[in-house]
Amino acid sequence: MRNFSFYNPTRIHFGEGQIGKQLAREIPPGSRVLVTHGGGSIFSNGIWDQVEQALAGYHFSRFAGIEANPQYDTLLRAVAQARSEQCDFILAVGGGSVIDGSKFIAAALAYPGEPFDLLSGSKPKAAVPMGCVLTLAATGSESNPHGVVTHVERQEKLPFSSPLLYPRFAILDPTTTYSLPPRQIGNGVVDAFVHTTEQYLTYPAEAPLQDRYAEGLLRTLIKEGPKALANPQDYAVRANLMWCATQALNGLLGCGVPQDWATHMIGHELTALYHIDHAQTLAVVLPALLAERREAKRGKLLQFAERVWDIRTGDEDARIDAAIAATRAFFEQMGLPTRLSGHGLDADAVPQVLAQLERHGMTALGEQREIDLACSERILLRAL
Ligand code: NZQ
Ligand code: ZN
C-alpha cells in the first residue's frame, strides 16, 4: 500500500428531517448567510420551504441560477452579491454544480487577487465557511475539497481543490432526491460508479480492504440504481444511493492505491465542447477506455469481472469482454448512451477533443501515465 494522509472534516447529518433539525445548529448564530441554489427545483419539491424555515433568525440573501456545470461569470455575480450583503457564511442547496460553485464563491470572497487565478493553479489562503444541503446524489462534492467551474468563452471546465474548501457540514436527506428526473437519477448512479472504478480499476496494489470497499460500492450501485428508476420514492433505495455517492468520492476509497482519472479528464472536454451532462460523458468514455487499456488493467479487470459481476466462466479475455459489456449494459439500463453517436457526434469530434486535451496538458493520463494523445484518440475512436 502506498503512503497517504487522510483528512475529511465534513460533518454529515444523514436522514429524513435533518434540514429542520441541524441547519440552525450548524450555522453560527449571527451569521449573514448567502444561500445559493440552481434553477427552480428547490421551490417545486418543498426543499426551499424547509431551508427558509430553518434559517428564521438569520440574515440571509438568496442567490439563484447556478447552472449545471457552473459558470465562472455567474459565480462572480454571486461573489459581488455576497460582498454587498456582507455575507460571512455560504449555504449551498443543490447538487454538485451548486456545491462546486459555492466552493469557488467561498474561495473568491477571501481571495485578494484576480478570482480566475484560483482556476489556474493558485491556492486560496483562506475561504469563507460553507455548508450544504445536498439534493442530488452523484459527485461527492458535499464532503470533498474539489470543484469544477466552466469558463464558457474559453470552452474549458477548470478543476480546483483546496483543503479549505471542504464543506463544514453536509445535510443528506434522501427524500430531497425523490423529485429528481430519471435522467439525473441515472447520471448520479453512473457518476458514483465511475468515481469508484477510477480508484479501483488500475493494477493490484496489495490493498484488499480498498478493493472490497470499492466492490461493495459498485455492487450496491448496480443493485439499487435500477430500483430508484422503478420506484423513485423508495426511501431505503435513495438512502443507499446517497451514501454510496458520498463515499465514492470523499477520499477514503482512494487512500494508498493507484488512481486513473483519465475518463474524467476526457469527459470534461466533451462537456466543455458539446455540453453533454458530466456523467453522460463518463458512460461513453469508460467502456472504451477499459477496452483500450485491457492489458495494463488485466489483473483488476479479471477481479472486477469475478467479484462485481460474478463472471467466472470462459477464458481470461472472454471474462474481461463480458465485464466491459456488463458495465456498458448497466449504464444503458440507467438511461445513459454509451456511444458518442448517442449524442449525435461522429469521428469529426475526435480531433477537437484531442486539441483540448493537448491545450490542457492532458497528455500523460492514467495510473501509469501512459494515456498519451495517441491513446486518447484510440479510446475516442472506440467510443464512436
Ligand atoms: O437547477 P435545478 O433546478 O436545481 O435543477 C438541477 C440541475 O438542472 C437538477 N436537480 C438537482 N437536485 C434536484 C434536481 N431536480 C429535481 N429534484 C432535485 N432534488 O439536476 C440538474 C443537474 O444538477 P447538477 O448539480 O449539475 O448535477 P450533479 O450533481 O451531477 O453535478 C455535476 C457537476 O459536478 C461536477 C461536474 O463536473 C458538474 O459540473 N463534478 C464535481 C465533482 C467534485 N466536486 O468532486 C466531481 C465530479 O466528477 C464532477 O466533475
Ligand atoms: Zn464525476
Side-chain angles (χ1 to χ4, degrees):
M1 202 189 299
R2 295 177 173 183
N3 292 4
F4 65 87
S5 301
F6 178 70
Y7 168 74
N8 191 319
T10 303
R11 188 182 301 277
I12 307 276
H13 296 291
F14 192 97
E16 186 166 13
Q18 292 283 43
I19 297 174
K21 237 181 251 161
Q22 305 290 353
L23 205 48
R25 287 191 195 159
E26 285 288 356
I27 302 176
S31 298
R32 296 175 66 87
V33 186
L34 181 76
V35 186
T36 52
H37 67 91
S41 76
I42 65 165
F43 297 114
S44 48
N45 57 19
I47 296 171
W48 174 248
D49 292 341
Q50 294 181 57
V51 170
E52 191 177 32
Q53 228 172 2
L55 288 179
Y58 290 92
H59 171 89
F60 70 84
S61 169
R62 190 167 58 76
F63 183 84
I66 297 183
E67 50 285 279
N69 303 305
Q71 294 178 13
Y72 180 66
D73 290 344
T74 304
L75 302 175
L76 288 189
R77 284 193 281 110
V79 170
Q81 181 173 324
R83 285 224 168 93
S84 77
E85 294 278 341
Q86 299 175 310
C87 293
D88 52 16
F89 198 97
I90 298 170
L91 176 66
V93 185
S97 294
V98 173
I99 300 172
D100 281 11
S102 301
K103 290 177 181 173
F104 179 77
I105 297 165
L109 273 171
Y111 191 70
E114 174 60 37
F116 191 75
D117 296 349
L118 294 164
L119 301 178
S120 32
S122 291
K123 293 287 178 187
K125 296 203 165 48
V128 170
M130 196 264 291
C132 60
V133 174
L134 183 67
T135 66
L136 195 172
T139 64
S141 186
E142 63 276 12
S143 73
N144 75 34
H146 315 301
V148 194
V149 166
T150 296
H151 196 291
V152 177
E153 292 86 58
R154 298 167 68 110
Q155 291 193 309
E156 288 181 322
K157 238 173 122 65
L158 299 161
F160 60 99
S161 193
S162 159
L164 295 167
L165 299 177
Y166 281 98
R168 298 288 166 104
F169 65 87
I171 297 184
L172 275 56
D173 176 345
T175 66
T176 62
T177 65
Y178 286 171
S179 57
L180 286 170
R183 175 169 134 198
Q184 298 303 344
I185 297 174
N187 283 355
V189 169
V190 170
D191 196 19
F193 188 99
V194 179
H195 293 158
T196 308
T197 59
E198 288 183 316
Q199 299 165 85
Y200 166 69
L201 279 178
T202 56
Y203 53 83
E206 295 180 311
L209 173 62
Q210 290 90 322
D211 282 358
R212 289 295 189 189
Y213 186 20
E215 289 152 5
L217 287 172
L218 295 170
R219 290 191 71 110
T220 308
L221 290 165
I222 291 164
K223 191 148 182 242
E224 304 298 313
K227 292 188 201 164
L229 288 177
N231 292 308
Q233 308 226 343
D234 184 324
Y235 181 84
V237 168
R238 296 305 197 146
N240 284 302
L241 289 177
M242 203 170 213
W243 195 219
C244 277
T246 296
Q247 295 196 52
L249 201 50
N250 70 355
L252 190 55
L253 185 58
C255 286
V257 298
Q259 303 185 17
D260 170 11
W261 291 95
T263 300
H264 265 71
M265 294 308 115
I266 299 171
H268 282 173
E269 303 300 359
L270 288 167
T271 300
L273 284 170
Y274 308 112
H275 314 292
I276 302 171
D277 289 355
H278 170 63
Q280 308 238 346
T281 68
L282 309 177
V284 165
V285 177
L286 184 74
L289 181 139
L290 295 180
E292 178 61 32
R293 300 291 296 155
R294 63 189 295 144
E295 289 313 322
K297 294 181 185 291
R298 177 168 283 267
K300 275 308 203 39
L301 279 169
L302 288 166
Q303 184 177 324
F304 174 63
E306 180 179 338
R307 295 193 190 171
V308 175
W309 292 112
D310 298 319
I311 296 166
R312 296 194 176 82
T313 53
D315 65 19
E316 286 191 4
D317 282 311
R319 300 203 300 274
I320 291 173
D321 286 342
I324 296 171
T327 304
R328 186 185 289 285
F330 174 59
F331 292 168
E332 288 179 358
Q333 185 187 8
M334 293 308 301
L336 286 81
T338 58
R339 300 272 176 199
L340 286 168
S341 54
H343 295 283
L345 295 175
D346 57 23
D348 290 350
V350 174
Q352 296 179 31
V353 179
L354 294 175
Q356 290 280 85
L357 286 169
E358 184 166 28
R359 188 148 77 95
H360 298 141
M362 299 292 164
T363 53
L365 300 171
E367 68 275 19
Q368 316 266 23
R369 323 276 312 145
E370 284 176 353
I371 303 183
D372 55 12
L373 289 179
C375 183
S376 288
E377 182 175 27
R378 292 194 296 276
I379 292 167
L380 288 161
L381 291 173
R382 279 180 189 271
L384 291 174

